[in-house]
Amino acid sequence: MSALLDQLTRRQLLWHGDSQQLAYQAVASGYPELDQQLAGGLPATGLIDIQTDAGIGELRLLLPYLQQQQHHSQRLLVFIAPPAELSADMLAGAGLDLSQLLIITPTQQPATAPKNNQKQNNQQQKALWAAEQCLQSGCCATVLIWPAAMSLAQARRLQLAAEQGAASMVLFRRPCQSLSLPVNLSFSLQPDQQGLQLTVLKRKGSWPAAPFLVDMQRRWPALCLTDPTGEPMRRAG
Amino acid sequence: MALFLYLHFPALQLDHLQQSAENSQHLAIALVDQQHQLLQLNNAALTAGLKLQMGLASAAALCPELQLLPYQPEQQAKVLKSVAQQLYQLSGDIALDLPSGLILRLDGMLRLYDGLQSYWQMLSKQLNALTYRYQFSCGATPYAAKCLAYQQANLITADNASLLAALHASPLEATELTEPLQQQMARLGIHTLGQLLALPPSELARRFDSQLLSYLGRLRGDYYHPLEYLQPEPGFSRYLELLYDISDSTVLTKPLAKLLQQLEQQLSRANCQCFQLLLTLFFRDNPQLQLSIGSAQGEYKAAAWLQLCQLQLQNLPLPEPVYGLQLDVNHFAGQQRPTEALFEQQHARMSALQLLSLLQARLGRSAVSGLTLQNQHLPEQATQRSLPLTKDYVEKGQAGPPALALRPAFLLPQPQPLTEPVTINQGPERLCPDSWQLNGQRDYYIGRNQQGQWLWLFRNARQQWFVHGWFS
């Protein structure tokens, strides 16, 4: 390499197309193929955007990661506005410390009852406010939130708060065609018979890879279709 | 020889009112009593040429834009008491002399502070911080000090001769003698205290009532003068009357910050913190409103408390304008600092308990909860919402109940009827409610629907299918 190129590289004016430096610190996700594809695992801080349907295994994918995050720093896990009642059995079974766990369900105060639309907006606002406070505080490891919608500015603000408090935040969203948010990692999930089909949409500091399969047969044998020719049982309610 | 210091606050109630509203300095304000005499004046009123004891008519003629407020002795007594509480840290024996004076006994304090000058230096610093106008003087007896303080003698000395000389030169107006008695003395040609003290007591006893004799006896120190010294009160209770009614709850934080500042001073002096504040808002027509503001970790800093109060006030619709605030703290606790790791890279901005109080203040107590696992076989009973950040089993030194891993992440509050085709993957697992009632039994299955969602289903005794949750 010529002296000029060498000098330019050293001054960070020139870089190689094939060198991929992760913009974040990675934490092993507990699934070897995921770790391999994402060069180490899921980000320890910052936003993780997951576009998924409910109930296909999105939380199961994260459970080892959440356990590590919580255990490593002895900090809180916060669930904000989960779509239904969380079950303690599953979370405790995955090794999470239930005493270091908070559930925040913003509700409308009965004193003021505005219109339905405004009410939802208000709840959404409160949820985001709570998320920002948790991220900033520095005593939460990971915040999980199920937002109805999120704007670019809100995501940017939460990303900053997460960096400030060295926390990570997981957004569970419905698959949508909106603009990509300023997040560390964004992927979408599709159900698969052996686990989940994962498509990386965006990864900070690297190129997106081809869709790949996360195999859940070892961790969750009961929640995989071992026999693809299983007979569906039709029932009406 | 005993030595006393008398502090006289000529306009305590007015100064206290002005403290809560800075932008009222240029307004001429006066306090008037029932007889329509001016009792207390602020600086703007004094520069306008108003004098104490002036009638309303002449005052209005001198200063047409004069604002009048009623004189409230019980308000002033409260303020005086709070002043005494704040001076108590510096001086041990303080007696209230209503309506506007404090008597401080010095002889014990002089040994502690090593001399009068250093003592006065500390005390005046604290007095200036209070921003109330005051007059002061030393004296050999409480009445002597009071008499000198009324004339603004401002003597700080333990020298008996100079104190006596000043006392003898005092006019009778500065004494406790009643108005008719003073007139009577003036007619006799007695104008100063020195002239009065020179007369033999037996002569005075023949001509005047016992009141005069007992006053003079106490002034000289011949008679015992009982003083009730202040005992520090546990807790904190301050009332602040607003100069104008406030209808916006965000504006309310401004006067509240002042009260919290005072609370912080008291707490930090006592090396204490508190866990709960009671804030009472007073309305003219509606009943008063009491808010309880809690901090799970305990705080003493005014800024931290103000943030919590702000969050709670944000959600609060005020029924009508507020005219007064009262802040009470019933219980103080010793300060504790949480231990932190020495080599921690990132410094947490707040502790988990502080975060919790912040969230609870804005969202309400019920919005934040924890999760506990109960030793129950029915899924809806196994999971319980609990108070946040409580450690049920760790503290008792037991292991929690074993968790059943193959349970759904989300449970529906009410099971929903199954309406779509599913593939059953595992089951059944039979769960019965209490006492094994066979008609209440449910057979649970794990199923997958066409969209690939994993559902937790059950079939009841009447062969009806329901969805109870989903594996996320």
Side-chain angles (χ1 to χ4, degrees):
Chain A
M1 198 185 285
S2 78
L4 178 65
L5 283 183
D6 202 29
Q7 205 180 351
L8 284 176
T9 318
R10 213 176 301 138
R11 292 170 66 187
Q12 293 192 339
L13 293 171
L14 191 78
W15 60 91
H16 291 280
D18 63 342
S19 74
Q20 297 193 0
Q21 268 199 336
L22 267 191
Y24 50 80
Q25 197 192 342
V27 175
S29 66
Y31 296 93
E33 54 278 25
L34 186 72
D35 291 351
Q36 195 193 340
Q37 291 277 347
L38 294 182
L42 299 166
T45 61
L47 263 63
I48 305 171
D49 176 29
I50 303 179
Q51 301 190 2
T52 170
D53 283 321
I56 59 172
E58 70 276 13
L59 200 61
R60 271 180 288 143
L61 180 74
L62 289 178
L63 279 177
Y65 165 74
L66 295 179
Q67 197 267 334
Q68 277 209 355
Q69 282 279 83
Q70 191 191 37
H71 186 75
H72 178 68
S73 57
Q74 294 294 325
R75 294 191 293 170
L76 299 179
L77 273 187
V78 186
F79 290 78
I80 298 177
E85 279 295 313
L86 276 167
S87 145
D89 266 316
M90 171 149 183
L91 297 176
L96 298 181
D97 181 5
L98 290 184
S99 67
Q100 293 285 346
L101 186 139
L102 280 187
I103 301 173
I104 301 173
T105 43
T107 46
Q108 193 64 36
Q109 247 123 35
T112 54
K115 298 260 182 291
N116 205 18
N117 191 17
Q118 199 181 343
K119 179 174 156 184
Q120 271 190 352
N121 230 339
N122 199 350
Q123 282 195 14
Q124 171 83 1
Q125 288 274 315
K126 280 185 175 171
L128 288 177
W129 175 84
E132 190 181 12
Q133 293 298 322
C134 292
L135 289 174
Q136 261 179 356
S137 69
C139 55
C140 301
T142 302
V143 177
L144 296 97
I145 189 168
W146 283 259
M150 179 159 301
S151 72
L152 212 70
Q154 286 165 341
R156 179 83 203 128
R157 196 165 151 176
L158 290 173
Q159 171 82 16
L160 285 176
E163 278 165 18
Q164 195 184 344
S168 68
M169 172 158 168
V170 184
L171 304 168
F172 291 104
R173 298 198 297 162
R174 302 245 158 230
C176 59
Q177 297 297 321
S178 66
L179 282 172
S180 78
L181 298 173
V183 294
N184 276 351
L185 177 67
S186 171
F187 56 83
S188 71
L189 295 175
Q190 268 83 42
D192 189 278
Q193 302 206 332
Q194 271 101 50
L196 286 167
Q197 193 78 29
L198 194 148
T199 317
V200 176
L201 302 172
K202 175 182 178 178
R203 190 147 70 97
K204 210 172 176 181
S206 79
W207 310 106
F212 60 95
L213 176 78
V214 180
D215 194 358
M216 290 195 165
Q217 283 189 343
R218 198 173 54 82
R219 274 183 188 269
W220 301 96
L223 296 175
C224 293
L225 289 183
T226 40
D227 180 18
T229 57
E231 191 68 21
M233 298 161 76
R234 289 181 177 273
R235 299 281 166 185
Chain B
M1 183 204 97
L3 188 65
F4 291 89
L5 176 71
Y6 192 90
L7 296 172
H8 173 58
F9 300 92
L12 194 55
Q13 191 196 337
L14 187 57
D15 287 349
H16 184 69
L17 270 173
Q18 285 223 305
Q19 209 183 41
S20 58
E22 297 121 338
N23 52 359
S24 64
Q25 299 295 347
H26 60 278
L27 274 179
I29 306 177
L31 295 191
V32 283
D33 64 356
Q34 304 277 334
Q35 282 79 42
H36 302 297
Q37 280 190 332
L38 305 190
L39 283 188
Q40 298 182 8
L41 300 168
N42 69 350
N43 285 328
L46 284 172
T47 48
L50 300 185
K51 291 197 169 57
L52 295 178
Q53 315 295 335
M54 200 177 242
L56 269 189
S58 30
L62 275 169
C63 180
E65 59 273 14
L66 181 68
Q67 305 280 318
L68 294 176
L69 293 171
Y71 169 64
Q72 290 163 307
E74 67 281 359
Q75 274 308 319
Q76 174 147 330
K78 274 189 196 169
V79 182
L80 188 67
K81 205 161 184 184
S82 83
V83 173
Q85 291 276 1
Q86 292 178 66
L87 294 184
Y88 185 76
Q89 286 300 318
L90 297 174
S91 194
D93 297 332
I94 300 180
L96 296 184
D97 188 33
L98 292 174
S100 59
L102 292 180
I103 303 168
L104 283 72
R105 193 186 163 103
L106 295 193
D107 24 339
M109 287 298 116
L110 293 187
R111 292 182 61 188
L112 177 65
Y113 282 93
D114 190 26
L116 194 58
Q117 288 311 321
S118 50
Y119 170 75
W120 177 245
Q121 202 180 356
M122 292 296 290
L123 196 71
S124 56
K125 201 169 120 194
Q126 177 77 24
L127 280 169
N128 293 334
L130 290 177
T131 70
Y132 303 130
R133 283 173 276 168
Y134 64 96
Q135 303 165 4
F136 57 92
S137 181
C138 285
T141 60
Y143 275 150
K146 185 175 181 178
C147 174
L148 291 171
Y150 266 59
Q151 311 165 51
Q152 305 192 34
N154 296 2
L155 283 172
I156 293 296
T157 171
D159 177 22
N160 219 356
S162 62
L163 283 177
L164 209 59
L167 190 65
H168 281 192
S170 310
L172 288 186
E173 287 80 54
T175 60
E176 299 281 280
L177 301 183
T178 54
E179 197 85 9
L181 204 57
Q182 286 180 24
Q183 280 175 9
Q184 211 176 345
M185 293 293 176
R187 287 192 202 113
L188 287 170
I190 300 173
H191 298 287
T192 64
L193 209 49
Q195 289 171 311
L196 188 59
L197 287 172
L199 298 174
S202 54
E203 295 290 317
L204 287 173
R206 241 176 14 177
R207 276 172 170 249
F208 298 98
D209 56 0
S210 61
Q211 221 182 342
L212 175 71
L213 279 181
S214 97
Y215 172 72
L216 288 179
R218 287 181 180 186
L219 184 71
R220 276 201 215 98
D222 294 345
Y223 297 173
Y224 173 63
H225 189 162
L227 288 175
E228 197 183 326
Y229 291 118
L230 184 84
Q231 293 295 319
E233 284 174 11
F236 177 90
S237 174
R238 292 281 157 80
Y239 172 78
L240 182 68
E241 176 130 5
L242 304 170
L243 258 193
Y244 43 86
D245 291 8
I246 292 180
S247 51
D248 187 0
S249 52
T250 48
V251 185
L252 217 52
T253 52
K254 193 103 189 194
L256 184 61
K258 289 219 168 58
L259 283 177
L260 291 171
Q261 205 70 46
Q262 293 177 12
L263 174 67
E264 178 183 333
Q265 279 175 12
Q266 186 167 339
L267 284 171
S268 62
R269 274 197 305 256
N271 199 22
C272 282
Q273 61 183 7
C274 57
F275 292 93
Q276 197 174 35
L277 305 183
L278 288 174
L279 178 66
T280 317
L281 307 176
F282 291 91
F283 305 105
R284 298 210 182 268
D285 293 329
N286 286 26
Q288 64 203 45
L289 185 67
Q290 195 166 51
L291 300 175
S292 120
I293 297 146
S295 161
Q297 174 162 304
E299 293 286 353
Y300 74 95
K301 287 206 178 95
W305 275 119
L306 187 65
Q307 192 187 13
L308 293 175
C309 293
Q310 264 173 338
L311 289 173
Q312 196 140 351
L313 284 172
Q314 266 175 13
N315 293 334
L316 186 77
L318 294 177
E320 61 170 318
V322 181
Y323 75 88
L325 293 176
Q326 167 130 4
L327 189 65
D328 291 285
V329 179
N330 296 326
H331 187 67
F332 286 1
Q335 265 185 27
Q336 289 172 332
R337 295 302 307 159
T339 48
E340 283 168 17
L342 185 58
F343 299 109
E344 194 108 316
Q345 280 114 15
Q346 78 256 352
H347 203 70
R349 219 161 55 87
M350 56 176 87
S351 72
L353 287 172
Q354 277 172 320
L355 174 69
L356 182 64
S357 6
L358 201 70
L359 294 171
Q360 282 179 336
R362 166 88 190 264
L363 306 173
R365 268 174 200 283
S366 57
V368 189
S369 58
L371 202 64
T372 50
L373 182 61
Q374 306 293 323
N375 203 357
Q376 296 282 346
H377 66 280
L378 282 185
E380 54 265 50
Q381 289 171 1
T383 298
Q384 293 262 306
R385 292 284 187 105
S386 64
L387 286 175
L389 302 180
T390 45
K391 294 180 185 174
D392 281 356
Y393 292 98
V394 178
E395 276 171 14
K396 288 176 200 160
Q398 320 165 351
L404 302 162
L406 213 57
R407 284 280 180 267
F410 293 108
L411 282 175
L412 290 169
Q414 288 293 324
Q416 302 290 323
L418 177 68
T419 54
E420 56 189 338
V422 291
T423 314
I424 301 294
N425 203 30
Q426 201 182 17
E429 178 186 359
R430 177 162 291 185
L431 295 180
C432 271
D434 297 336
S435 71
W436 301 96
Q437 298 163 337
L438 285 181
N439 54 358
Q441 74 187 24
R442 302 177 201 158
D443 293 337
Y444 277 91
Y445 297 88
I446 295 171
R448 185 176 192 264
N449 69 5
Q450 306 263 295
Q451 288 87 45
Q453 292 171 310
W454 290 94
L455 303 175
W456 206 44
L457 315 158
F458 70 83
R459 184 173 60 180
N460 64 11
R462 281 183 284 165
Q463 303 295 312
Q464 289 161 320
W465 286 81
F466 292 92
V467 181
H468 200 182
W470 68 87
F471 293 86
S472 200

